[in-house]
Amino acid sequence: MVDPNTPLSDDEVRDILSRAADRQEQAERAQPLATRSHTLAEVEAVAEDVGIDREHLRAAAHEILSRRDTPAPPTRLGLPLELTGRRAFPASITDAQWERMVGVLRTEFKRNGISTHFGEAREWVSSNASGDSMPIQVRVESSPAGTAITARQETRSLLLTPAVLGGSFSAMAIVLGVLFAVGDFQPGVSWISVMLGAVGLGSAGAGFLAARVWVKRQRERIRTLLDRLELIGRDDAS
C-alpha cells in the first residue's frame, strides 16, 4: 500500500482523483440497480467535500429532476421534432438583465426578433415570419428554484431536405422506369432509371446524415447559449 503521507504533485492529484472516479463508476455499474440509490442530501454532502456551492448544486438538481415529468420530445425517422434546453437559478432577474439577454440572443441569431413581457414572464422569439420554419423561442419565468430559462426550437422541417432530395430522384426513376417498360427503348437506357433511383437513395441518406450533424451542433449551441443567459441572470442578482 502507498504511504498516506506520500507527497504528491498537482498533476498526480488530478490523475489519482480521475482514476478513482473511473474505478468507482465501474464498480457502481457492476452493482444491481436496487443498491445504487442515493438521496439529494448525500449528493450535497459529496458536493460540499469537493467545494461545490450548495446553491449551484440545488439549482442543478432542480434542472435535472424537472426532466422526470417532462416527456421526451417526439422523433420521426430518428430525428427530433423539437430541441429544448432549460436552466434554473435561485434569483429573479431585472429588466436590465433581460435586455442584456435579448442583446445576446440578437447577436447569436443575427435577428432582432420579438421581445415580449407579460406578468413575471419574458419571452423572445427569433422571428414570426411565415418563411422561418425553425424559429427559436426563449422564455424566462419564475420557478420553484427562482428563475427558469427555457429555449425551444421546432425542427420538423429538417425532414423536408432528405425527403425532397430522395423523393425527387426516386420519382424521376419511377417515371422513367414506367416509360422504359411500355416504350420502345434500347435495353441499356433502362440503367438511367436504376441510376436515378440509386442517386435518390444516396441523396436521402446524405440529407439525413446532414440533419443529424446539424441537430448535434444545434443542441450544443443551445446549451452554450443557456449557460451565457444564466450567467447574466446570476450577475447583479447575486
Side-chain angles (χ1 to χ4, degrees):
M1 295 295 293
V2 179
D3 183 353
N5 297 317
T6 301
L8 302 171
S9 67
D10 290 343
D11 288 341
E12 289 172 330
V13 169
R14 285 192 293 268
D15 290 343
I16 290 172
L17 291 175
S18 176
R19 179 57 183 152
D22 290 341
R23 288 173 58 89
Q24 179 171 324
E25 182 180 359
Q26 293 172 5
E28 289 177 348
R29 286 179 177 175
Q31 296 176 7
L33 290 176
T35 66
R36 289 159 48 193
S37 177
H38 306 284
T39 66
L40 184 57
E42 292 173 339
V43 178
E44 287 182 350
V46 173
E48 185 176 353
D49 289 340
V50 297
I52 297 177
D53 189 277
R54 180 171 297 183
E55 174 185 309
H56 293 294
L57 178 77
R58 290 184 174 175
H62 174 74
E63 178 185 326
I64 299 301
L65 295 179
S66 65
R67 299 174 187 171
R68 288 181 173 180
D69 301 324
T70 304
T75 61
R76 187 171 298 167
L77 299 178
L79 294 175
L81 301 182
E82 183 180 85
L83 298 179
T84 60
R86 181 181 173 87
R87 293 290 183 275
F89 52 91
S92 57
I93 69 167
T94 65
D95 290 340
Q97 287 171 307
W98 171 241
E99 289 301 321
R100 289 171 58 192
M101 291 182 182
V102 170
V104 169
L105 292 169
R106 287 172 173 167
T107 300
E108 175 67 23
F109 296 107
K110 297 179 176 59
R111 297 179 182 178
N112 286 331
I114 301 173
S115 175
T116 57
H117 186 178
F118 40 94
E120 296 183 354
R122 297 172 171 87
E123 189 174 274
W124 182 85
V125 181
S126 61
S127 174
N128 68 340
S130 58
D132 189 353
S133 59
M134 296 193 295
I136 298 283
Q137 177 190 44
V138 177
R139 183 179 177 89
V140 178
E141 57 191 336
S142 298
S143 76
T147 296
I149 306 175
T150 306
R152 181 176 290 106
Q153 181 178 29
E154 284 197 9
T155 55
R156 296 175 185 271
S157 60
L158 281 177
L159 293 167
L160 293 177
T161 300
V164 170
L165 288 175
S168 299
F169 285 104
S170 298
M172 292 173 61
I174 293 173
V175 171
L176 288 177
V178 172
L179 292 176
F180 292 145
V182 301
D184 184 16
F185 294 95
Q186 294 294 328
V189 180
S190 62
W191 281 103
I192 298 178
S193 177
V194 176
M195 291 176 59
L196 286 174
V199 171
L201 291 175
S203 299
F208 275 111
L209 179 60
R212 287 179 179 275
V213 171
W214 184 90
V215 166
K216 181 178 180 180
R217 291 178 178 174
Q218 190 70 356
R219 278 181 174 149
E220 178 63 20
R221 184 185 188 186
I222 290 175
R223 185 193 68 78
T224 302
L225 177 65
L226 287 173
D227 287 342
R228 293 174 63 190
L229 297 182
E230 181 182 350
L231 286 176
I232 294 174
R234 290 180 176 277
D235 190 25
D236 300 335
S238 57

